[in-house]
Amino acid sequence: FPCERWLAKSEDDGEIIRELVPSDIFTEKLMKDGTLKQIEEEVEDPLEVHTYKISVFTGDTYGAGTDANVFLNIYGDLGDTGERKLSKSETNFNKFERGQEDTFTIQAVDLGILYKIKIRHDNSMFSPDWFLEKVEILDETTEESFIFLCERWLSKKKEDKKIERTLYEQVRKARSLVPVKYETIVVTGFEKGAGTDANVFITIFGLNGDSGKRALKQKFRNLFERGKTNRFYLETLDMGELKKVRIEHDNSGLAPGWLVERVEI
């Protein structure tokens, strides 16, 4: 994995994280005379390292700027960057000020099509509250641009008091604005006491977002009994390729314990 670059805040581009791709593979083969022969092969179709230009737009509202440290993780269909600190703005000495655009450059192994980011701050310094308008990312290698709208506070004092946001790419999100009905099947196990009297909820997660926490209920039916299969139809925006589900109950009722055999969607 060749590098030949600095990992130093005072050298090169100031980055202390590098993603490396292999250039050669060395293997050893045992010969008939008992000696080991080293064989060198070039990696076929190695992954490319792409340069991503990140533009962060702070809102133009009172108190919008932040003095806190900001961190970003970019997700694509081929992987993610891992969390990176947005340290040095290329456009402003004092970054993340009200009504300001700050630009950063990071390099990472090709992420493919970008679909979401996670952005947060560490709530440090005297004025950590931050109103983030949007983030735009340009893949300089492919010249593709991706927009992630926020228009919310990252603050422990305002709005929902969260300092981390997950933002989805706008073009992909627009494609998902068609309502889809998901047939959801929940199978309760056969063991004694497997059924539950509690209220049950499910969240479905896909490449384009999630369904939000949804109650699984039907009128005049005793649900989630031992050995039974229950079927529900949940309508939500198209979430694309499904990644996971979260199934939970509120521990209410006389017998809340529940053995779930499987969930089908």
Side-chain angles (χ1 to χ4, degrees):
F1 297 83
C3 182
E4 298 178 346
R5 295 192 68 179
W6 283 95
L7 283 76
K9 290 184 178 293
S10 58
E11 301 285 350
D12 203 341
D13 58 0
E15 286 292 321
I16 56 173
I17 297 175
R18 300 285 177 209
E19 291 197 349
L20 311 178
V21 294
S23 60
D24 299 281
I25 300 174
F26 294 88
T27 57
E28 290 185 336
K29 182 178 180 181
L30 182 64
M31 308 303 289
K32 290 183 178 179
D33 61 2
T35 60
L36 289 173
K37 180 181 178 181
Q38 191 175 74
I39 302 171
E40 179 182 354
E41 299 176 81
E42 285 191 8
V43 174
E44 295 184 7
D45 300 322
L47 293 172
E48 294 181 340
V49 175
H50 285 206
T51 299
Y52 295 93
K53 186 73 72 175
I54 301 158
S55 297
V56 180
F57 295 81
T58 298
D60 189 9
T61 188
Y62 179 77
T66 184
D67 298 325
N69 297 304
V70 174
F71 302 86
L72 176 70
N73 194 353
I74 306 171
Y75 295 79
D77 56 8
L78 298 181
D80 67 89
T81 60
E83 188 173 79
R84 305 286 187 97
K85 182 179 179 181
L86 299 181
S87 299
K88 187 176 180 180
S89 173
E90 298 171 11
T91 47
N92 300 286
F93 177 76
N94 195 8
K95 57 186 183 291
F96 309 127
E97 291 295 295
R98 173 180 174 177
Q100 187 168 285
E101 175 187 351
D102 291 287
T103 302
F104 307 85
T105 299
I106 67 171
Q107 289 187 323
V109 172
D110 182 13
L111 301 173
I113 302 299
L114 307 188
Y115 68 92
K116 77 174 180 180
I117 62 171
K118 285 186 178 180
I119 190 164
R120 71 173 182 92
H121 66 70
D122 60 3
N123 206 46
S124 63
M125 307 299 286
F126 182 70
S127 300
D129 299 346
W130 186 30
F131 189 86
L132 174 62
E133 182 181 324
K134 64 179 176 178
V135 177
E136 295 182 2
I137 301 176
L138 172 66
D139 183 340
E140 292 190 331
T141 308
T142 64
E143 298 185 344
E144 289 184 278
S145 184
F146 306 86
I147 300 173
F148 303 86
L149 287 181
C150 182
E151 298 177 338
R152 298 186 70 181
W153 286 96
L154 283 75
S155 168
K156 287 196 171 182
K157 300 176 183 176
K158 301 179 180 180
E159 213 175 309
D160 59 0
K161 298 179 173 58
K162 291 184 178 180
I163 58 173
E164 179 177 303
R165 299 286 177 201
T166 299
L167 309 176
Y168 291 89
E169 202 275 323
Q170 287 303 293
V171 174
R172 184 179 293 272
K173 188 175 181 181
R175 291 185 190 131
S176 71
L177 293 179
V178 178
V180 173
K181 188 172 288 186
Y182 290 89
E183 181 183 40
T184 304
I185 299 170
V186 181
V187 182
T188 299
F190 282 88
E191 292 186 21
K192 184 178 179 181
T196 184
D197 298 328
N199 298 306
V200 172
F201 305 87
I202 194 169
T203 309
I204 306 170
F205 297 84
L207 196 60
N208 296 337
D210 63 77
S211 65
K213 186 175 176 180
R214 308 285 287 271
L216 295 180
K217 55 186 178 181
Q218 295 173 352
K219 289 184 178 180
F220 314 118
R221 290 201 61 183
N222 199 9
L223 301 174
F224 312 117
E225 292 295 294
R226 172 185 174 188
K228 296 295 183 179
T229 297
N230 297 113
R231 192 181 308 264
F232 308 86
Y233 294 91
L234 304 178
E235 189 169 290
T236 183
L237 298 181
D238 183 8
M239 292 175 287
E241 181 182 348
L242 301 188
K243 295 298 184 182
K244 68 177 181 179
V245 298
R246 179 186 297 137
I247 190 88
E248 58 188 292
H249 66 67
D250 62 1
N251 207 43
S252 63
L254 296 176
W258 186 28
L259 176 63
V260 181
E261 183 175 310
R262 70 179 184 274
V263 177
E264 300 176 9
I265 298 178

